[in-house]
Every structure is written in C-alpha cells, then in structure tokens.
Coordinates of all heavy atoms in Angstrom, one line a residue:
I1 N 2.5 -3.7 -4.4 CA 1.9 -4.0 -5.7 C 0.6 -4.5 -5.5 O -0.3 -4.2 -6.2 CB 2.8 -5.0 -6.3 CG1 4.3 -4.4 -6.7 CG2 2.2 -5.7 -7.5 CD1 5.4 -5.4 -7.1
L2 N 0.3 -5.4 -4.3 CA -1.0 -6.0 -4.2 C -2.0 -4.9 -3.8 O -3.2 -4.9 -4.3 CB -0.9 -7.2 -3.2 CG -2.2 -7.8 -2.9 CD1 -2.7 -8.4 -4.2 CD2 -2.0 -9.0 -1.9
S3 N -1.5 -4.1 -3.0 CA -2.5 -2.9 -2.7 C -2.8 -2.1 -3.8 O -4.0 -1.7 -4.0 CB -1.7 -2.0 -1.7 OG -1.3 -2.7 -0.5
F4 N -1.8 -1.8 -4.7 CA -2.1 -1.0 -5.9 C -3.1 -1.9 -6.8 O -4.1 -1.2 -7.4 CB -0.9 -0.7 -6.6 CG -0.9 0.1 -7.9 CD1 -1.3 1.5 -7.9 CD2 -0.8 -0.5 -9.1 CE1 -1.5 2.2 -8.9 CE2 -1.0 0.4 -10.2 CZ -1.4 1.8 -10.2
I5 N -3.0 -3.1 -7.0 CA -3.9 -3.9 -7.8 C -5.2 -3.9 -7.2 O -6.2 -3.8 -8.0 CB -3.3 -5.4 -7.9 CG1 -2.1 -5.5 -8.8 CG2 -4.4 -6.3 -8.4 CD1 -1.3 -6.7 -8.8
L6 N -5.4 -3.9 -5.9 CA -6.7 -3.9 -5.3 C -7.4 -2.5 -5.6 O -8.5 -2.5 -5.8 CB -6.7 -4.2 -3.7 CG -6.3 -5.5 -3.3 CD1 -6.0 -5.6 -1.8 CD2 -7.4 -6.5 -3.6
V7 N -6.7 -1.5 -5.6 CA -7.2 -0.1 -5.9 C -7.7 -0.1 -7.2 O -8.6 0.5 -7.5 CB -6.1 1.1 -5.5 CG1 -6.7 2.3 -6.0 CG2 -5.9 1.1 -4.0
L8 N -6.8 -0.6 -8.1 CA -7.1 -0.6 -9.6 C -8.5 -1.5 -9.8 O -9.3 -1.1 -10.7 CB -6.0 -1.3 -10.4 CG -4.8 -0.4 -10.6 CD1 -3.7 -1.1 -11.5 CD2 -5.1 1.0 -11.1
I9 N -8.5 -2.6 -9.0 CA -9.8 -3.4 -9.2 C -11.0 -2.5 -8.7 O -12.1 -2.5 -9.3 CB -9.7 -4.7 -8.3 CG1 -8.7 -5.7 -9.1 CG2 -11.1 -5.3 -8.2 CD1 -8.4 -6.8 -8.2
G10 N -10.8 -1.7 -7.6 CA -11.9 -0.9 -7.1 C -12.2 0.1 -8.2 O -13.4 0.4 -8.4
I11 N -11.3 0.7 -8.8 CA -11.6 1.7 -10.0 C -12.3 1.1 -11.0 O -13.3 1.5 -11.6 CB -10.3 2.4 -10.5 CG1 -9.6 3.2 -9.5 CG2 -10.4 3.0 -11.7 CD1 -8.2 3.6 -9.9
L12 N -12.0 -0.2 -11.4 CA -12.7 -0.9 -12.5 C -14.1 -1.3 -12.1 O -15.1 -1.3 -12.9 CB -12.0 -2.3 -12.9 CG -10.7 -2.1 -13.5 CD1 -10.0 -3.4 -13.9 CD2 -10.9 -1.4 -14.9
I13 N -14.3 -1.6 -10.8 CA -15.7 -1.9 -10.3 C -16.6 -0.6 -10.4 O -17.8 -0.8 -10.6 CB -15.7 -2.5 -8.9 CG1 -15.0 -3.9 -8.9 CG2 -17.1 -2.6 -8.3 CD1 -14.8 -4.5 -7.6
N14 N -16.0 0.5 -10.2 CA -16.6 1.8 -10.3 C -17.8 1.9 -9.5 O -19.0 2.3 -9.8 CB -17.0 2.1 -11.9 CG -17.2 3.5 -12.0 OD1 -16.7 4.5 -11.4 ND2 -18.2 3.7 -12.9
N15 N -17.7 1.6 -8.1 CA -18.8 1.7 -7.1 C -18.4 2.8 -6.1 O -17.3 2.7 -5.5 CB -19.0 0.4 -6.4 CG -20.0 0.4 -5.4 OD1 -19.8 0.9 -4.3 ND2 -21.2 -0.2 -5.6
Y16 N -19.3 3.7 -5.9 CA -18.9 4.8 -5.0 C -18.7 4.3 -3.5 O -17.8 4.9 -2.8 CB -20.0 5.8 -4.9 CG -21.2 5.5 -4.3 CD1 -21.6 5.6 -2.9 CD2 -22.3 5.0 -5.1 CE1 -22.8 5.3 -2.4 CE2 -23.5 4.5 -4.7 CZ -23.8 4.8 -3.3 OH -25.0 4.4 -2.8
L17 N -19.2 3.4 -3.1 CA -19.0 2.8 -1.7 C -17.5 2.1 -1.6 O -16.9 2.4 -0.7 CB -20.0 1.7 -1.3 CG -21.4 2.2 -1.2 CD1 -22.4 1.0 -1.1 CD2 -21.5 3.1 -0.1
I18 N -17.2 1.4 -2.7 CA -15.9 0.7 -2.7 C -14.8 1.8 -2.8 O -13.9 1.8 -2.1 CB -15.8 -0.3 -3.8 CG1 -16.8 -1.5 -3.5 CG2 -14.4 -0.8 -4.0 CD1 -16.9 -2.5 -4.7
S19 N -15.1 2.8 -3.7 CA -14.2 3.9 -3.9 C -13.9 4.6 -2.7 O -12.8 5.0 -2.3 CB -14.6 4.9 -5.0 OG -14.7 4.3 -6.2
A20 N -15.0 5.0 -2.0 CA -14.8 5.8 -0.7 C -14.1 5.1 0.4 O -13.4 5.5 1.2 CB -16.2 6.3 -0.3
S21 N -14.5 3.7 0.5 CA -13.9 2.9 1.4 C -12.4 2.7 1.2 O -11.6 2.8 2.2 CB -14.6 1.6 1.5 OG -15.9 1.7 1.9
I22 N -12.0 2.5 0.1 CA -10.6 2.4 -0.4 C -9.9 3.8 -0.1 O -8.7 3.7 0.3 CB -10.5 2.0 -1.9 CG1 -10.9 0.5 -1.8 CG2 -9.1 2.1 -2.5 CD1 -10.9 -0.1 -3.4
L23 N -10.6 4.9 -0.4 CA -9.9 6.2 -0.2 C -9.7 6.3 1.3 O -8.5 6.8 1.7 CB -10.7 7.3 -0.6 CG -10.3 8.7 -0.4 CD1 -8.9 8.9 -1.0 CD2 -11.3 9.8 -0.8
M24 N -10.6 6.1 2.1 CA -10.5 6.2 3.6 C -9.4 5.3 4.1 O -8.5 5.8 4.9 CB -11.9 5.7 4.3 CG -11.9 6.2 5.7 SD -11.8 8.1 5.8 CE -13.1 8.6 4.8
Q25 N -9.2 4.1 3.6 CA -8.0 3.3 4.0 C -6.7 3.8 3.4 O -5.8 3.8 4.2 CB -8.3 1.8 3.6 CG -7.1 0.8 3.8 CD -6.5 0.8 5.1 OE1 -7.1 1.1 6.0 NE2 -5.1 0.8 5.1
S26 N -6.6 4.3 2.3 CA -5.5 4.9 1.7 C -5.1 6.1 2.5 O -4.0 6.3 2.7 CB -5.7 5.2 0.2 OG -6.1 4.2 -0.5
L27 N -6.0 6.9 3.0 CA -5.7 7.9 3.9 C -5.0 7.6 5.2 O -4.2 8.2 5.8 CB -6.9 8.9 4.1 CG -7.4 9.6 3.0 CD1 -8.8 10.3 3.1 CD2 -6.4 10.8 2.4
L28 N -5.5 6.5 5.7 CA -5.0 5.9 6.9 C -3.5 5.4 6.8 O -2.8 5.1 7.7 CB -5.8 4.8 7.5 CG -7.1 5.2 8.0 CD1 -8.0 4.0 8.5 CD2 -7.0 6.2 9.1
L29 N -2.9 5.3 5.5 CA -1.6 5.0 5.3 C -0.7 6.0 5.5 O 0.5 5.9 5.9 CB -1.4 4.4 3.8 CG -2.2 3.3 3.3 CD1 -2.1 3.1 1.8 CD2 -1.8 2.1 4.1
I30 N -1.1 7.3 5.5 CA -0.2 8.5 5.7 C 0.2 8.5 7.2 O -0.6 8.5 8.1 CB -0.9 9.8 5.3 CG1 -1.4 9.7 3.9 CG2 0.0 10.9 5.5 CD1 -2.3 10.8 3.4
S31 N 1.5 8.5 7.3 CA 2.1 8.7 8.6 C 2.6 10.1 8.8 O 3.5 10.6 8.1 CB 3.2 7.7 8.9 OG 3.8 7.9 10.1
L32 N 2.1 10.6 10.0 CA 2.6 12.1 10.2 C 3.9 12.0 10.8 O 4.6 13.1 11.0 CB 1.6 12.7 11.1 CG 0.1 12.9 10.7 CD1 -0.8 13.4 11.6 CD2 0.1 13.6 9.3
K33 N 4.5 10.8 11.2 CA 5.8 10.7 11.8 C 6.8 10.4 10.6 O 8.0 10.1 11.1 CB 5.8 9.7 12.9 CG 4.9 9.9 14.0 CD 4.9 8.8 15.1 CE 3.8 9.1 16.1 NZ 3.8 7.8 16.9
G34 N 6.5 10.3 9.4 CA 7.5 10.0 8.4 C 7.1 8.6 7.8 O 7.5 8.3 6.7
G35 N 6.6 7.7 8.5 CA 6.3 6.4 8.0 C 7.5 5.5 7.7 O 8.6 5.8 7.9

C-alpha cells in the first residue's frame, strides 16, 4: 500500500525524472523466479 501511495505521489508530481526513477525501481520488483 505504501509503495502504491508513493507511485501515486510520483504521478501527481508529474516530473519525468521521478517517473523514470520510480519505473526503474518498479521493474526491479519483477522476479524471474516467481517472487
């Protein structure tokens, strides 16, 4: 929930640096082993 709220805050800030950094971290959440 907190992670989702942080992403929403990033969307509201509407800054390409924040958006791209959050996306990069979000991609690192994906586990190829099933997670």
Side-chain angles (χ1 to χ4, degrees):
I1 292 166
L2 187 53
S3 298
F4 183 70
I5 290 169
L6 289 170
V7 172
L8 290 180
I9 291 169
I11 291 171
L12 290 174
I13 293 173
N14 198 33
N15 176 290
Y16 67 91
L17 294 170
I18 293 172
S19 297
S21 299
I22 287 174
L23 176 63
M24 197 56 58
Q25 169 51 28
S26 299
L27 290 169
L28 292 173
L29 298 174
I30 300 170
S31 174
L32 300 177
K33 298 177 188 172

